[in-house]
Amino acid sequence: MCIRDRTNVKLDSFSQEGNLELELEATSLQQDTSSGESQLTNPRLKLETPPGTLWSIKSEIGTVSTGASNRDGLSEQRIELSGNVLISRRTAEDLLIEIRGDNFILFPKRQYGESLSSVTVNSGNNVTTAGKLSIDLFLGEVGLGSGSGKYVETKISELKDW
């Protein structure tokens, strides 16, 4: 087994049209060349999908690997993030949406991600908690679900004029 260490890593991937598909930064990267798996410290990802919509994802730890085969029998890259995961993006109305949780798995080629643990979604004055999460990054659709003993709950705070 050969391990390669790198610090202050930045990798970019662009579409044929020149749009940012994926930007990955980390303070350190250790790669096991025999398995192709990479361990990341303080990973930060940016995805522009659809073009003009920027998603930002960061955490304390990450693992990049070629996981099990997908539905079509092809292996696909997966990025597993854990430790204070923060997913954010701005809406067309410039509202900041932030999703926080303990873990998140991203499948970049499918522009899809999920978490099977509790998440908190902050959007304006609304706070929603849920037992699990799925995100279609291209469509901008966030799915929230209940998990073992966890239900989807939304709290709406009203602004008061003083």
Side-chain angles (χ1 to χ4, degrees):
M1 172 169 64
C2 178
I3 302 285
R4 291 188 179 157
D5 288 327
R6 301 282 188 253
T7 56
N8 299 320
V9 177
K10 182 176 180 182
L11 305 168
D12 294 326
S13 173
F14 294 89
S15 70
Q16 291 179 342
E17 295 78 27
N19 296 316
L20 178 67
E21 287 183 336
L22 177 68
E23 176 183 283
L24 171 65
E25 293 183 79
T27 55
S28 71
L29 176 142
Q30 288 186 328
Q31 184 178 34
D32 179 340
T33 56
S34 62
S35 69
E37 187 172 284
S38 299
Q39 302 296 318
L40 307 167
T41 304
N42 299 317
R44 295 171 306 283
L45 294 98
K46 290 182 183 174
L47 299 98
E48 186 179 0
T49 180
T53 302
L54 188 64
W55 291 86
S56 174
I57 307 170
K58 64 181 182 176
S59 70
E60 294 172 356
I61 299 170
T63 303
V64 179
S65 62
T66 302
S69 297
N70 64 18
R71 290 173 247 159
D72 300 323
L74 303 171
S75 62
E76 64 182 325
Q77 184 183 58
R78 61 189 277 148
I79 302 172
E80 296 183 46
L81 302 168
S82 61
N84 294 316
V85 176
L86 173 62
I87 303 164
S88 60
R89 73 168 277 235
R90 291 207 173 267
T91 66
E93 297 78 27
D94 203 34
L95 174 68
L96 178 63
I97 297 173
E98 294 184 326
I99 303 168
R100 296 179 184 273
D102 291 329
N103 62 60
F104 184 70
I105 301 171
L106 175 67
F107 300 92
K109 290 294 180 195
R110 282 195 279 156
Q111 300 177 351
Y112 172 81
E114 64 186 14
S115 176
L116 300 177
S117 64
S118 298
V119 295
T120 302
V121 181
N122 293 301
S123 58
N125 296 319
N126 304 329
V127 177
T128 302
T129 56
K132 58 185 176 179
L133 163 82
S134 64
I135 300 178
D136 182 320
L137 298 166
F138 185 77
L139 296 176
E141 294 179 349
V142 176
L144 301 171
S146 57
S148 57
K150 301 280 184 178
Y151 300 97
V152 178
E153 177 183 352
T154 301
K155 294 181 181 179
I156 301 170
S157 302
E158 291 185 40
L159 293 176
K160 297 182 179 183
D161 293 328
W162 297 96

